Amino acid sequence: NKNGYDYEKCKETADWLLAQTTLRPLVAVVCGSGLGGLGDSLKDAVAFNYQDIPNFPQSTVHGHAGRLVFGKLKGRPCVCMQGRFHLYEGYPIQKITAPMRIFKLLGVKTVILTNAAGGLNEKYKVGDVMIIKDHINMPGFAGCNPLMGPNDERFGTRFPCMSDAYDRELRQLARHVGDELGFGDFMHEGVYCVLGGPSFETIAECRMLRRLGADAVGMSTVHEAIVARHCGLRVFALSLITNQAVMDYDSEEKANHQEVLQTGKVRSEQLASLVSTMVMSMKHDSGDMLDGMCGQ
Ligand SMILES: O=P(O)(O)O[C@H]1O[C@H](CO)[C@@H](O)[C@H]1O
């Protein structure tokens, strides 16, 4: 592949990581803007800075630390990206999503993608959590899809299905866990729309996206979900509504990254308990997650 993120490159990175730690995670978590706290809740953690990992891109956005953390969530081995990559950082789209293929080669079965997003649905409030049930891939409409280029069948099929991208069982589990933890009042399920960024949306754009059926808007996650599904990973994704999209010409509101990071802090602990409780309750076909260790 022209972008240098072919099977061999991903394998080289995965093998390097497997040689550094005995943990064999079945779950990977990607932390959205300001949501890196999730990664700090891992126990017995071993962390790698992205710059030390062969072939790994670097984080350039404030609120994305740039660390890959292996550790345990409620006793279950996990790997967590504290910092993701976005199209607007200037990386080729294949590079942004390479970690999904690396996770697959590490033996991961399920990825949990989190993000900060602007709320388009008028019922959503700042601080609400939206379980993603579907997406609108706006850059995809314009020929920008992470699976463009030669298809490597070792990862997956040329034309992957996306109507089941966001695992129904995991969404059910999230609703159940959310209710148990008393988060019912601020949890929703909805459609996430990705744009290229980095400029935030205009009022006309927000109005258009709402009419098209989007409940929240952001600049990430969808590319990762597509590549994860392509290589057979189960996907669960959620958005923290960090700000309300501006829909009204009389509004004094202005979208800004500071507000995005600030809202992340407010919900950080609750999101960590939602994710860790979900991880604890997840079942995987091949072997018990408690057996996800080697060499001990
Ligand atoms: O999607 P995450 O990585 O959470 O980040 C979101 O926050 C940033 C804007 O404040 C954008 O990068 C947007 O995509």
Side-chain angles (χ1 to χ4, degrees), residues 61-268:
V61 186
H62 190 51
H64 291 262
R67 288 187 337 147
L68 188 68
V69 188
F70 286 74
K72 289 186 209 152
L73 270 183
K74 301 243 165 101
R76 308 293 169 108
C78 291
V79 56
C80 178
M81 281 175 74
Q82 283 182 320
R84 66 145 57 83
F85 314 109
H86 308 82
L87 263 182
Y88 61 77
E89 292 174 79
Y91 291 122
I93 194 162
Q94 290 85 356
K95 193 162 177 170
I96 290 167
T97 50
M100 301 303 120
R101 292 180 162 183
I102 295 165
F103 290 151
K104 173 75 182 183
L105 295 171
L106 288 177
V108 164
K109 305 283 182 208
T110 303
V111 290
I112 298 178
L113 309 172
T114 68
N115 66 51
L120 294 165
N121 186 317
E122 40 296 317
K123 295 201 187 94
Y124 293 5
K125 294 192 282 297
V126 170
D128 285 1
V129 172
M130 183 186 86
I131 298 166
I132 299 182
K133 72 168 178 210
D134 202 350
H135 71 225
I136 298 174
N137 178 14
M138 226 21 126
F141 291 3
C144 178
N145 185 300
L147 299 176
M148 282 181 319
N151 185 56
D152 191 325
E153 294 281 333
R154 285 173 290 184
F155 285 121
T157 179
R158 173 78 285 186
F159 301 110
C161 174
M162 284 296 140
S163 57
D164 60 351
Y166 301 92
D167 193 271
R168 189 193 299 255
E169 262 179 48
L170 293 178
R171 286 189 278 125
Q172 228 161 29
L173 175 63
R175 286 197 302 270
H176 176 73
V177 170
D179 283 343
E180 295 268 293
L181 293 173
F183 300 169
D185 304 347
F186 61 85
M187 279 181 69
H188 312 278
E189 202 162 342
V191 176
Y192 176 88
C193 178
V194 64
L195 302 180
S199 49
F200 286 111
E201 303 69 42
T202 64
I203 295 169
E205 285 164 348
C206 290
R207 290 180 169 192
M208 180 192 82
L209 296 177
R210 181 67 190 129
R211 285 192 171 200
L212 291 179
D215 296 295
V217 58
M219 309 169 195
S220 73
T221 304
V222 167
H223 320 302
E224 295 155 352
I226 291 172
V227 171
R229 291 301 298 142
H230 176 251
C231 65
L233 294 169
R234 282 208 303 177
V235 173
F236 172 75
L238 61 79
S239 294
L240 175 65
I241 306 300
T242 53
N243 56 291
Q244 262 166 333
V246 182
M247 307 283 257
D248 185 346
Y249 286 98
D250 294 330
S251 170
E252 296 292 323
E253 294 287 323
K254 288 184 186 178
N256 67 89
H257 193 54
Q258 281 320 313
E259 183 186 10
V260 169
L261 297 182
Q262 190 53 39
T263 312
K265 274 190 205 148
V266 174
R267 281 281 185 241
S268 174

